[in-house]
Amino acid sequence: DNKAPIVSFSFDKSDVHNGKYYKNDKTLTITVDERNFDPSYLPRVTSTTGGGYSISGWSHNGEIHTATVTFSGDSDYTVSYDCYDLAGNKSNTENLEEFTVDKTVPVIKVSYNNNSALNGNYYKAARTATITVTEHNFDPSKITVSTTASAGGAPGVSGWSNNGDTHTANVVFNHDADYTFTVSGFDLAENKAADYAQDKFTVDLKNPEVKITVTSQTGIVGFSVDINSTTLTPEGLQGLGLSTHMDLV
């Protein structure tokens, strides 16, 4: 026997995302073409988590011998394999470049530094929303932060800071406006996070401006009240000692 074993790999890449990421189990099939096959040689697998994969035994069909490696756990993997036959002939070396299995969905949470609402969803001080995404294979370009502001100039998201699998960014709402805010996104394996339900609230930093004009004509004294506020309610008028239905004579 002076013929070297021939090794080949079969690995389906049709469902890859962003170059090397998969959101489902993957299987590598190793085939060795050799008459005097030695089954003691096994594939060399690296895993950043130390596990998450299993290697089958060899099956034989004449001179064709096959084994499979199944990757079912979240991890980064590489595989290489070569062997010698029983006569000492060395095969070619096959390598499977690094790929990632990620079946874990990102988790999005939002917290605010100001939760002191009045009359439902009105805030008299600025609010800062802190977005926290928990995800190992994070890409900020995969996170969509949507804001609207009735006064124009909807705020944007700050730069992301990263601490391991925890990623945070802020959105500051510091102008008078009615705001909406929501967050959605994916990881690099295209696992979709549960959307953060849309928030709706109003920031009003300005006190109402009250102008009273007194008039006098033929012995009758009257006055008019001019209130400049975009968010003043009838209850707010009563708080000022005024009524929406007053006789001013």
Side-chain angles (χ1 to χ4, degrees):
D1 182 356
N2 58 7
K3 180 182 177 182
I6 300 173
V7 175
S8 60
F9 280 1
S10 176
F11 186 80
D12 181 13
K13 297 182 178 182
S14 64
D15 53 347
V16 69
H17 298 284
N18 298 296
K20 68 164 193 169
Y21 297 90
Y22 300 87
K23 61 180 180 180
N24 47 271
D25 294 354
K26 296 300 296 180
T27 300
L28 168 68
T29 300
I30 304 169
T31 302
V32 182
D33 185 350
E34 169 57 43
R35 183 164 62 92
N36 298 302
F37 177 67
D38 185 347
S40 66
Y41 291 92
L42 295 175
R44 299 177 293 276
V45 181
T46 68
S47 167
T48 53
T49 62
Y53 65 93
S54 60
I55 303 173
S56 73
W58 290 98
S59 61
H60 313 281
N61 184 9
E63 297 183 5
I64 303 300
H65 316 275
T66 59
T68 59
V69 185
T70 301
F71 309 90
S72 57
D74 285 17
S75 193
D76 304 318
Y77 299 100
T78 66
V79 184
S80 63
Y81 178 81
D82 51 37
C83 65
Y84 289 85
D85 64 18
L86 294 171
N89 298 300
K90 186 178 184 302
S91 73
N92 58 301
T93 300
E94 284 290 289
N95 295 289
L96 182 61
E97 61 191 10
E98 184 180 79
F99 68 96
T100 299
V101 172
D102 178 358
K103 300 188 291 185
T104 302
V105 173
V107 176
I108 295 175
K109 294 183 178 179
V110 176
S111 61
Y112 289 92
N113 68 334
N114 174 12
N115 294 302
S116 300
L118 296 172
N119 299 301
N121 61 346
Y122 292 88
Y123 297 84
K124 64 180 182 179
R127 302 188 84 195
T128 297
T130 298
I131 306 164
T132 302
V133 180
T134 304
E135 170 56 41
H136 183 66
N137 297 300
F138 176 76
D139 182 345
S141 70
K142 299 287 185 181
I143 305 299
T144 300
V145 180
S146 300
T147 62
T148 66
S150 60
V157 65
S158 70
W160 290 89
S161 62
N162 307 295
N163 182 12
D165 291 350
T166 302
H167 318 275
T168 57
N170 295 324
V171 180
V172 179
F173 305 90
N174 58 0
H175 298 289
D176 284 20
D178 301 322
Y179 292 102
T180 66
F181 168 67
T182 190
V183 188
S184 60
F186 299 81
D187 62 19
L188 285 167
E190 300 298 331
N191 294 298
K192 187 180 188 302
D195 291 346
Y196 177 77
Q198 185 183 74
D199 286 335
K200 295 182 179 180
F201 58 91
T202 298
V203 172
D204 182 357
L205 307 177
K206 296 179 181 178
N207 291 323
E209 296 178 4
V210 180
K211 180 181 179 181
I212 301 177
T213 302
V214 179
T215 62
S216 176
Q217 186 176 3
T218 63
I220 299 175
V221 177
F223 66 92
S224 64
V225 180
D226 184 11
I227 302 175
N228 184 8
S229 174
T230 60
T231 59
L232 189 63
T233 63
E235 292 78 9
L237 281 172
Q238 294 173 5
L240 293 172
L242 302 173
S243 171
T244 56
H245 301 286
M246 296 196 311
D247 294 322
L248 301 181
V249 176

